[in-house]
Amino acid sequence: MSACVPTRHDRTSRSSRPPRASGIKRPHSPPPPPRRGRFHIAGADLSSSITVFLLAVPMSLGLAVAMDAPLEAGLISAAIGGIVAGLLGGTPLQVSGPSAGLTVVTAELIQIYGWRTTCAITIGAGLLQILLGSLRAARSALAVSPAIVHGTLAGIGVAIALAQLQIVLGGSPQSSAVANALALPDQLGRVSPAAPLIGVLTIAVLILWPRIPGRIGRVVRRIPAALAAVATATAVAAITAPGIARVDLPSWRSHALPEMPHGPALALATAVLTVMLVASLESLLAAVAVDKLSADRAGGQAAARSKADLTSSSASDPASVSVSASAQGPGPSSSPPPDPPDPLDPPVRRSDLDRELRAQGIANTLSGLVGGLAVSGGAVRSSANVRAGATGRASTVLHGVWVVLAAGLLVTALEQIPLAALAALVMMVGIQMVSFAHIRNVHKHREFLVYGATITGVLLFGVLKGVLIGIAVAVAVALHRLARTRITVTEQGGQHLVVVQGQLTFLAVPRLSRALAQLPHDGDAVVELDGFFMDHAAYETIQDWSIAQTAHGGRVVFTGRSGGRIAEPASAAHSCCRPWTPWRNHHCHDRPGQTPETHHARLGTGPASDSGSGSVEGRSPEHHTPHNAPGAHSTPGPADSPTAAPRRTGGNRLFSGLSSFQRNTAPLVREELARLAREGQRPSQLFITCADSRLVTSMITASGPGDLFTVRNIGNLVPPPDAESSDDSVGAAIEYAVDVLKVDSITVCGHSGCGAMQALLGSKPGPDTPPTSLWRWLRHGLPSLERMASRHHAWARISGRLPADAVEQLCLTNVVQQLDHLRAHGPVARRLAEGTLQLHGMYFHVGEAQAYLLAEGASAGLALDEVFNRVDPGDAHASSDSHTLADSHALAGSHALADSRSPGDADTPGPAAPGDPAGSGELERTGV
């Protein structure tokens, strides 16, 4: 039967729920929110829809004027964009309408093909958008280089500004941006003052309206600057220039509908592709911007609520007021935060770009069918919607409804707007499309050449050709960077340093071969690769040279930019990423940009420990919480201080470790484990050691799967076969390993700072000791305590020094004593008599990360001098009279989760030994 917890399904059948009248009480939970339909209108949505409507009407008329399209077409596209795209789109807060990015394209299409064919082209672009959205290609559209996208929009913005400047000066826009620029001197020579003054007034109000200071400014800023500018210009023009050119809305009866397109098929297909490309990119970029604005607004509202909670709590506690004020520091008082959204409103989710692209396609298809302009998501309208406090798509849809009502009821008022005011408004929109922030980012990433080439191409040759020019330049720049590789060779102290800066491709192979051929065949070389890419040709060149250099007696080391060896696995670049690092210092699972402290806080495990403490192995035994056994005395230390890292108890660490194993280690060991699963286990060693979490057996023995048959218990104890104990697990493991698995050797491994040994030293169990499981088990360690106190046995020693204190002495003596217990077991005695089994004693000093092996004679019980010899890095044996463990595999990464690292282990240090007041001084050797 599975031990898993039953899964709670979200879609529970009604029959499984207890009826209300059954008398069964349901779990306590907050009352559910009231049921409501899919379309909910909040107060904030109603007010923000009016704000967006007041901004959208003048912009729609202005864009229609800029495109030389029927003015009612701008209102049609604004209404359809708001209602259709608002209802169906994947970005609820995005407001769609006439596309500013298509101003130049649409104006050129109207001039070439006429208005009715342009509507048919809009329909084709909409159908193509629906197809691409259904194929989930929206994210692919964003894969275009940002330098090309922003360069395209900037080029369109410059073209819009040049065209609208002609209208502001009282003239008519030309067919292209170049023609508009060349016509400016002649237009300035015959300018009339009325239109330019109205345009300047509109621009001044647009710039100054958001900057009105004081309380009056906070009130008037609720009116969109575009509406204020157009209204002001209209009022001034009505008084000072009654004869100025104004908006002329024709009768709806004369509105032109689309017709079958007439013209070359290739040119029409190019026009459809251009409209689709620009409208899609503009909509998708606006959707991404809306997501960012929504996230920023949510963060601001959370901060405002926290500040409000702090203020309300400080009202009841006056002392907290001064604390919060001092924490904030001096500075100007900020404006009051906006009202938080209705808690019943659903949270705004991230945009579904494919759904948004399909909705834009449907809106464009309908707009073209009824004679409207091409539709796209607008950054200006959408940002106004977010800042006005909209919480859902109701604001977008309502704004479209208001546009429909205005088109039927406010015709007389709209016809009073001067064309110069609308042209100035659209000219400012075009200027804002040239973002200096984008220019700085592009320059920082060394892509300004692509940005400039795209702008130039859009202005000189049109949008589609400009995009193609930008892509061509981007490819050329990428190829240039791939081919631009610097190779330098220097000699430092008899060693040659070869530095390769840039990408290594086949284009750099000739220069690389020449540089490597100049090095002496038997010399030492360090090759520093400072790049991110190496193709097959370059790899083979370096590999062949390295093999030849090594064959001639040379030594080759490959390093990266930081100096670390490339041959090392990626996880070895930082100690925090190594599998043997304790979980609390293992931050490889942190999200990008997170600090270890925030990651621990997210897991609910408290702040990270001091980085200086490192891993547990780096501390002395006195720096750990003592074993909390009965009668043991606790010794306060850094672990008890307020600054010490709290005990980690969450299961998230284990889940993260398992995930890391599946991601990094499992692919490396899967083949080996599959072989072991087929063949069965054939370990050569029985390894008996302590359950201390700091003792990672596979790490200190460099062993892999199938090497060690491991028994872990408190104190690495081996109960004698005749001992009174209800736990026969150790004896069963010994019998199975010796008789069934036929192991070649058995190793008993103790370690420094063993909590079990400290408990035995601190409080010897007696008749009055409570019969707990812990003390019943520790009775098997009493012979070790008696052996250390006996004058008939020599004290165990570590090669080169005496034990540091009584705890270490007992840890060493306990290994020797447990070997005696091991020899008393029948299967072990029989194999020893046959000469087919060997016993070994081992001691591991945790703080020094140093292993020691008991001399061969002492391990076999034939020598009185019990000496643990140090194992050095280059030694095959610890000494001439000692044996090491059997050879074992060092399979990369296989020890990631080999041992328990539970923070609640029982083997933690305790008090000093009786009779040794210092607790750390050297003890004299006891005689035989």
Side-chain angles (χ1 to χ4, degrees):
M1 179 179 292
S2 175
C4 297
V5 179
T7 304
R8 180 175 65 103
H9 298 282
D10 293 335
R11 299 181 178 178
T12 307
S13 61
R14 293 183 179 271
S15 60
S16 63
R17 300 177 183 176
R20 294 183 180 272
S22 62
I24 301 177
K25 294 184 178 181
R26 302 189 180 189
H28 296 286
S29 62
R35 291 183 177 271
R36 63 189 181 193
R38 179 181 178 184
F39 191 78
H40 174 72
I41 300 177
D45 291 331
L46 183 61
S47 61
S48 60
S49 70
I50 297 174
T51 301
V52 178
F53 157 72
L54 297 176
L55 172 65
V57 169
M59 281 195 63
S60 301
L61 294 174
L63 290 173
V65 171
M67 299 176 189
D68 198 21
L71 297 184
E72 66 272 15
L75 298 177
I76 290 174
S77 59
I80 291 179
I83 298 174
V84 177
L87 283 175
L88 304 179
T91 311
L93 298 185
Q94 176 162 278
V95 181
S96 300
S99 173
L102 284 171
T103 303
V104 178
V105 177
T106 305
E108 184 178 359
L109 292 177
I110 293 174
Q111 198 169 40
I112 296 175
Y113 301 108
W115 169 244
R116 300 182 68 182
T117 299
T118 302
C119 291
I121 292 174
T122 302
I123 295 174
L127 294 176
L128 189 56
Q129 283 181 311
I130 296 174
L131 176 62
L132 293 178
S134 301
L135 295 177
R136 300 185 178 275
R139 290 286 176 186
S140 301
L142 295 179
V144 181
S145 171
I148 299 175
V149 175
H150 297 311
T152 302
L153 296 178
I156 293 172
V158 172
I160 291 174
L162 289 174
Q164 297 311 295
L165 182 58
Q166 295 284 345
I167 301 178
V168 171
L169 295 176
S172 300
Q174 303 299 317
S175 59
S176 66
V178 176
N180 284 318
L182 295 177
L184 276 179
D186 182 62
Q187 183 64 38
L188 290 173
R190 51 188 176 85
V191 65
S192 59
L197 290 177
I198 293 297
V200 171
L201 176 63
T202 304
I203 295 174
V205 175
L206 282 172
I207 296 174
L208 299 177
W209 190 262
R211 293 172 173 81
I212 299 177
R215 184 178 301 176
I216 298 177
R218 288 198 297 269
V219 174
V220 300
R221 279 199 298 268
R222 297 179 180 178
I223 302 174
L227 177 64
V230 172
T232 303
T234 302
V236 172
I239 299 173
T240 61
I244 195 172
R246 302 178 188 275
V247 170
D248 182 17
L249 286 175
S251 173
W252 287 103
R253 296 178 182 178
S254 61
H255 181 65
L257 296 177
E259 64 178 3
M260 290 299 295
H262 299 286
L266 182 59
L268 291 174
T270 303
V272 170
L273 182 62
T274 304
V275 172
M276 182 278 300
L277 178 64
V278 177
S280 300
L281 285 176
E282 190 175 9
S283 299
L284 296 177
L285 290 175
V288 174
V290 168
D291 280 346
K292 185 177 184 304
L293 289 174
S294 302
D296 294 343
R297 186 184 68 176
Q301 289 174 350
R305 285 194 292 270
S306 300
K307 184 177 180 180
D309 293 341
L310 179 62
T311 304
S312 61
S313 62
S314 63
S316 58
D317 185 8
S320 64
V321 178
S322 60
V323 174
S324 61
S326 61
Q328 292 176 359
S333 59
S334 60
S335 59
D339 295 334
D342 187 353
L344 297 180
D345 290 331
V348 178
R349 300 178 181 177
R350 288 191 61 185
S351 297
D352 183 346
L353 296 184
D354 294 306
R355 178 180 174 183
E356 182 64 30
L357 187 57
R358 290 193 299 270
Q360 295 292 332
I362 295 173
N364 273 315
T365 303
L366 293 178
S367 180
L369 284 172
V370 297
L373 295 172
V375 173
S376 71
V380 177
R381 295 181 294 263
S382 300
S383 60
N385 190 37
V386 174
R387 292 191 176 96
T391 61
R393 62 180 75 246
S395 173
T396 303
V397 177
L398 286 177
H399 125 271
V401 174
W402 306 145
V403 172
V404 172
L405 296 177
L409 303 178
L410 301 178
V411 175
T412 304
L414 296 177
E415 289 181 339
Q416 301 299 317
I417 301 175
L419 292 180
L422 295 179
L425 173 64
V426 176
M427 186 177 69
M428 291 301 296
V429 172
I431 293 174
Q432 290 173 357
M433 293 174 70
V434 184
S435 172
F436 290 100
H438 293 158
I439 295 175
R440 285 194 298 270
N441 288 333
V442 166
H443 185 268
K444 180 176 65 176
H445 293 285
R446 298 184 300 170
E447 291 188 341
F448 187 79
L449 179 61
V450 179
Y451 182 84
T454 306
I455 292 179
T456 305
V458 169
L459 293 176
L460 296 180
F461 307 107
V463 175
L464 186 58
K465 294 180 181 178
V467 171
L468 294 178
I469 290 173
I471 293 175
V473 174
V475 172
V477 169
L479 291 176
H480 174 71
R481 290 175 179 173
L482 285 176
R484 186 183 179 185
T485 306
R486 294 181 58 189
I487 303 173
T488 59
V489 179
T490 57
E491 184 177 358
Q492 299 176 355
Q495 186 180 63
H496 292 81
L497 175 63
V498 182
V499 180
V500 181
Q501 294 179 322
Q503 318 312 317
L504 273 176
T505 64
F506 65 94
L507 300 174
V509 167
R511 284 181 292 145
L512 179 63
S513 299
R514 285 195 298 269
L516 296 178
Q518 297 175 1
L519 303 179
H521 295 295
D522 56 350
D524 296 342
V526 176
V527 181
E528 180 181 317
L529 302 177
D530 182 8
F532 302 96
F533 176 76
M534 178 190 300
D535 69 358
H536 189 67
Y539 172 80
E540 282 195 348
T541 301
I542 293 179
Q543 184 74 5
D544 294 343
W545 170 81
S546 175
I547 294 174
Q549 190 80 358
T550 306
H552 285 86
R555 182 172 176 269
V556 180
V557 175
F558 293 95
T559 67
R561 185 175 186 177
S562 60
R565 293 193 178 188
I566 293 180
E568 296 178 356
S571 60
H574 304 284
S575 61
C576 69
C577 296
R578 291 170 178 165
W580 57 83
T581 304
W583 280 338
R584 68 176 185 178
N585 294 333
H586 198 160
H587 309 314
C588 296
H589 308 295
D590 294 352
R591 296 179 179 178
Q594 273 188 323
T595 59
E597 290 80 8
T598 59
H599 180 63
H600 294 317
R602 178 174 62 83
L603 296 180
T605 54
S609 59
D610 184 8
S611 59
S613 62
S615 62
V616 180
E617 288 82 356
R619 302 180 187 178
S620 61
E622 293 79 15
H623 285 182
H624 296 283
T625 306
H627 178 65
N628 194 19
H633 304 285
S634 62
T635 306
D640 299 319
S641 64
T643 59
R647 182 77 68 175
R648 318 294 187 191
T649 58
N652 288 325
R653 298 294 180 83
L654 178 62
F655 302 149
S656 297
L658 291 172
S659 176
S660 177
F661 168 80
Q662 294 299 145
R663 181 175 61 254
N664 302 323
T665 309
L668 302 176
V669 301
R670 186 169 286 116
E671 183 178 354
E672 180 71 10
L673 289 178
R675 182 187 64 81
L676 292 174
R678 293 191 304 266
E679 300 176 357
Q681 63 167 331
R682 298 177 184 176
S684 61
Q685 288 274 335
L686 169 61
F687 199 83
I688 303 174
T689 188
C690 185
D692 193 294
S693 64
R694 299 164 295 176
L695 202 64
V696 185
T697 56
S698 57
M699 178 183 72
I700 64 177
T701 61
S703 57
D707 290 334
L708 300 182
F709 189 74
T710 306
V711 174
R712 303 189 68 152
N713 59 57
I714 303 297
N716 49 273
L717 300 177
V718 180
D722 56 349
E724 296 181 2
S725 174
S726 59
D727 185 1
D728 294 327
S729 63
V730 178
I734 294 172
E735 182 179 347
Y736 184 79
V738 173
D739 289 342
V740 179
L741 298 179
K742 304 296 183 180
V743 296
D744 299 329
S745 63
I746 303 176
T747 299
V748 177
C749 176
H751 68 95
S752 61
C754 182
M757 301 300 104
Q758 294 187 55
L760 287 173
L761 283 173
S763 179
K764 180 179 179 181
D768 299 333
T769 302
T772 62
S773 299
L774 178 60
W775 279 121
R776 282 198 299 270
W777 175 256
L778 287 180
R779 284 194 179 96
H780 299 305
L782 291 178
S784 301
L785 194 63
E786 296 169 357
R787 185 188 187 101
M788 189 180 75
S790 173
R791 300 186 63 85
H792 299 287
H793 294 88
W795 272 16
R797 292 175 296 151
I798 293 182
S799 178
R801 68 174 177 85
L802 292 173
D805 52 24
V807 175
E808 186 171 57
Q809 179 60 61
L810 183 56
C811 292
L812 298 171
T813 303
N814 181 61
V815 172
V816 180
Q817 182 63 39
Q818 301 313 312
L819 288 174
D820 286 350
H821 291 174
L822 193 59
R823 280 187 285 268
H825 283 260
V828 176
R830 184 178 63 255
R831 290 281 304 277
L832 287 174
E834 296 173 355
T836 58
L837 182 68
Q838 293 181 338
L839 303 185
H840 303 288
M842 177 179 169
Y843 176 75
F844 185 76
H845 195 289
V846 176
E848 298 175 356
Q850 179 62 54
Y852 299 87
L853 285 177
L854 184 61
E856 181 182 5
S859 295
L862 303 177
L864 297 178
D865 201 8
E866 300 163 356
V867 179
F868 287 81
N869 296 299
R870 177 189 181 98
V871 179
D872 292 327
D875 292 348
H877 299 277
S879 64
S880 59
D881 60 345
S882 66
H883 292 284
T884 62
L885 303 179
D887 294 337
S888 57
H889 297 86
L891 194 57
S894 61
H895 52 266
L897 289 175
D899 295 276
S900 167
R901 297 187 185 183
S902 170
D905 66 273
D907 291 304
T908 48
D916 183 18
S920 60
E922 292 187 355
L923 301 179
E924 296 181 0
R925 176 184 173 186
T926 304
V928 179

